[in-house]
Structure formats: structure tokens, C-alpha cells
């Protein structure tokens, strides 16, 4: 040390600020701690300037020990700057950056009924939380997030996961449904942050009714001479029509026989 070199004296009070600069997920809380060395003040003041504001707001820190003060920012929604002053001592200005969680901004449903129904697919872009479908319908979901995604899942009520495909801010999910179900969509962005409190969606399944057959004539046991032709009138009904029809019959005590019958255009035979 040079005998004639002068050094600036340390301030009577030094303040260490934790965490200093920080990043925080939107909605989380942040604990601020100020550790004092040297002369310990009776109080410490926090000054905060919120994002897009020019005014500094003041509040007192809470003393938690002889030389430590703290402050908790609850459920932080926006970024802000802050510093601490006490006993004529000022810290430098720090910045807290708020990071948004991924959320579903848009959701498009494509409902594809089973092919045998000959029903057209249905597309829904409205904001819905419940949908009715026919049993066996394929559900295709296309969503758009506020952030670029790393992964996306459809999560059923039994915790079973269906992994989707992602493309930047979009994700594509699909599944076939056979019973009443409930699900939510889980997202993870490229920073590893997941969505929180996702919306729950309900699916109500409509069962396909069994075909109904009514023998209009003769409608009862009959006796007929050998080799006599016996007319038969049958009414058929089904909510989605028919693809195949068989007549199963036997004469006297013979074995049962099965014969394919061409289905009339109007589903009547």
C-alpha cells in the first residue's frame, strides 16, 4: 500500500439485496431480503416503479432480525424496477422481469363421426366447455398458444396422457371417444414453463341405438303346404340405416339357415 494513496471511506451502512435482478413466472410471489452491515438502521424503505409507469411508490420493509429486513411481492402480474434506501444509503436499481405462462388462446374442435353413420364432420371454433358426440367419434383438437411450445398433452380424468404434435405456437391433439369423459390440455413452453389451472372440458357420449326389426306379416307361427311360397313383410328401423340384412329361419325341426337379403332403398322389406 502506497503511503500517499487515498481511499474513499466505506459508507457507514452497506446493504446487500437478495435476489437483486430476477425473473419470475406471472402470478408467483417473490421474497425480497435486505441485509445490512455497519450501522444498522431502524427502518428501511422500498421504492418500486411498475412497468410503463414513471412514479416510484414507497413502502416499508419488515424487520425479521437485527440486521435483516424483508418484503414479499404477492402474485406478481407485471415487471417492475426497485431499490432500497435507508439511513442516507441507496442501493442500485434492480429489475424484476415477469414471464408469462403458456395458455390456450384459440381452440378448434373437429369431430369426425364413425364412417358407418355417413355423417359429415363437425367443426367448432366457439369457446365451449362441453360437447355431445356419437360413441366412437374421433376428436381432433388444434390449439394456438401465446408462446412457442415444446410439448402439449391431452390429459384425461384418469390421468392418462395423450401426447400431441407441436409446431411453434400451435399444437395438434387427437383421440377416439367411446364413453363420457373429461379432460384438460397441458402445455410446456420452450423455457420449460407449464400452464396453470387449465380449463376442464367435458364430453357427453350419445349411444348408437340397436337396429329394430318388426315382422308385420305373418307375425305368428303358420302352417303351410309343402313347397308353398310364404310372403314375408318386415319393417326395419335404425338411426343411421343399414349395410347388411340376413333372414335366419328354419323349417320344422331342421337346422337354422341364414340367407342374405338385399336391402330395399327405403329400408323396408
Amino acid at each position: 500500500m502506497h503511503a500517499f494513496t487515498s481511499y474513499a471511506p466505506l459508507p457507514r451502512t452497506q446493504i446487500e439485496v437478495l435476489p437483486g435482478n430476477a425473473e419470475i413466472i406471472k402470478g408467483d410471489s417473490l421474497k425480497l431480503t435486505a441485509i445490512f452491515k455497519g450501522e444498522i438502521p431502524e427502518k428501511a424503505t422500498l421504492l418500486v416503479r411498475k412497468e410503463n409507469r414513471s412514479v416510484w411508490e414507497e413502502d416499508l420493509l419488515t424487520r425479521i432480525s437485527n440486521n435483516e429486513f424483508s418484503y414479499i411481492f404477492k402474485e406478481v402480474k407485471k415487471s417492475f424496477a426497485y431499490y432500497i434506501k435507508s439511513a442516507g444509503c441507496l442501493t442500485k436499481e434492480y429489475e424484476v422481469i415477469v414471464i408469462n405462462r403458456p395458455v390456450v388462446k384459440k381452440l378448434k374442435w373437429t369431430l369426425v363421426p364413425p364412417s358407418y353413420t355417413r355423417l359429415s364432420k363437425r367443426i367448432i371454433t366457439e369457446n365451449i366447455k362441453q360437447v355431445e358426440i356419437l360413441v366412437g367419434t374421433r376428436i381432433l383438437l388444434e390449439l394456438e398458444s401465446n408462446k412457442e411450445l415444446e410439448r402439449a398433452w391431452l390429459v384425461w380424468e384418469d390421468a392418462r396422457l395423450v401426447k400431441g404434435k407441436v409446431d411453434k405456437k400451435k399444437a395438434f391433439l387427437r383421440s377416439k371417444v367411446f364413453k363420457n369423459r373429461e379432460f384438460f390440455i397441458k402445455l410446456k413452453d420452450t423455457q420449460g414453463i407449464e400452464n396453470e389451472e387449465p380449463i376442464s372440458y367435458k364430453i357427453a357420449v350419445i349411444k348408437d341405438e340397436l337396429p329394430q326389426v318388426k315382422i308385420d306379416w305373418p307375425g305368428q307361427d303358420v302352417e303351410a303346404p309343402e313347397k308353398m311360397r310364404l310372403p314375408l313383410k318386415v319393417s326395419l328401423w335404425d338411426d343411421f340405416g343399414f349395410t347388411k340384412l340376413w333372414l335366419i329361419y328354419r323349417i320344422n325341426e331342421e337346422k337354422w339357415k341364414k340367407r342374405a337379403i338385399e336391402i330395399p332403398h327405403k329400408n323396408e322389406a
Side-chain angles (χ1 to χ4, degrees):
M1 181 180 295
H2 198 281
F4 298 101
T5 302
S6 61
Y7 295 90
L10 290 174
R12 291 180 298 175
T13 300
Q14 300 96 48
I15 310 173
E16 180 184 2
V17 180
L18 301 175
N21 294 319
E23 289 185 344
I24 184 173
I25 298 174
K26 186 175 183 178
D28 285 356
S29 297
L30 176 68
K31 182 179 180 180
L32 167 67
T33 302
I35 304 172
F36 286 81
K37 296 178 181 179
E39 291 187 7
I40 309 302
E42 291 297 322
K43 63 180 182 178
T45 303
L46 171 69
L47 292 96
V48 177
R49 186 185 64 204
K50 296 179 181 178
E51 186 178 34
N52 300 324
R53 298 283 297 275
S54 59
V55 178
W56 289 90
E57 300 176 3
E58 294 188 7
D59 203 353
L60 290 176
L61 283 80
T62 300
R63 191 176 206 133
I64 57 176
S65 70
N66 179 55
N67 68 327
E68 291 188 16
F69 294 77
S70 73
Y71 189 91
I72 297 178
F73 297 95
K74 296 181 179 180
E75 299 180 355
V76 180
K77 298 294 192 298
K78 292 186 177 181
S79 301
F80 62 90
Y82 75 94
Y83 69 92
I84 295 171
K85 69 177 182 179
S86 181
C89 180
L90 301 177
T91 69
K92 70 176 185 178
E93 186 177 316
Y94 299 98
E95 190 172 14
V96 174
I97 304 298
V98 172
I99 302 173
N100 290 323
R101 290 183 180 273
V103 296
V104 176
K105 291 177 60 180
K106 295 180 181 179
L107 182 61
K108 174 183 174 182
W109 300 64
T110 301
L111 308 175
V112 184
S115 58
Y116 72 85
T117 66
R118 301 185 182 90
L119 295 175
S120 300
K121 66 181 180 182
R122 182 158 53 114
I123 296 176
I124 303 174
T125 56
E126 294 85 1
N127 184 21
I128 62 169
K129 295 183 180 179
Q130 183 167 336
V131 66
E132 286 189 350
I133 62 171
L134 186 68
V135 61
T137 294
R138 286 189 297 124
I139 294 181
L140 312 176
L141 300 175
E142 178 182 340
L143 67 88
E144 182 178 336
S145 175
N146 61 324
K147 303 179 71 178
E148 289 199 4
L149 300 173
E150 179 182 301
R151 292 185 181 180
W153 300 267
L154 185 154
V155 185
W156 293 112
E157 75 284 352
D158 58 5
R160 186 171 65 90
L161 300 177
V162 178
K163 187 178 179 180
K165 294 182 179 180
V166 298
D167 180 14
K168 296 182 179 179
K169 292 184 178 182
K170 290 187 176 182
F172 306 88
L173 304 152
R174 61 175 59 204
S175 190
K176 187 177 286 189
V177 182
F178 295 92
K179 62 181 180 179
N180 293 341
R181 305 222 61 174
E182 190 170 343
F183 73 91
F184 65 87
I185 297 172
K186 181 179 179 181
L187 303 176
K188 179 186 285 188
D189 67 20
T190 53
Q191 294 175 291
I193 301 171
E194 297 184 357
N195 58 332
E196 193 173 59
E197 299 180 356
I199 296 173
S200 180
Y201 300 94
K202 293 183 178 180
I203 301 175
V205 169
I206 303 171
K207 293 183 178 180
D208 181 9
E209 298 294 335
L210 295 174
Q212 296 184 22
V213 180
K214 179 184 178 184
I215 300 177
D216 297 313
W217 199 92
Q220 60 184 356
D221 294 339
V222 295
E223 293 184 2
E226 188 176 354
K227 296 184 180 181
M228 175 183 175
R229 286 181 175 271
L230 182 67
L232 186 66
K233 183 179 180 182
V234 179
S235 296
L236 310 175
W237 181 89
D238 186 76
D239 42 2
F240 296 108
F242 306 90
T243 56
K244 294 181 181 180
L245 176 65
W246 295 273
L247 174 65
I248 301 174
Y249 67 97
R250 72 175 180 178
I251 300 174
N252 296 327
E253 300 301 322
E254 295 178 1
K255 292 183 178 181
W256 289 96
K257 297 180 181 180
K258 182 177 180 181
R259 176 183 173 186
I261 299 177
E262 183 179 351
I263 300 176
H265 181 67
K266 294 184 178 180
N267 289 340
E268 289 189 357

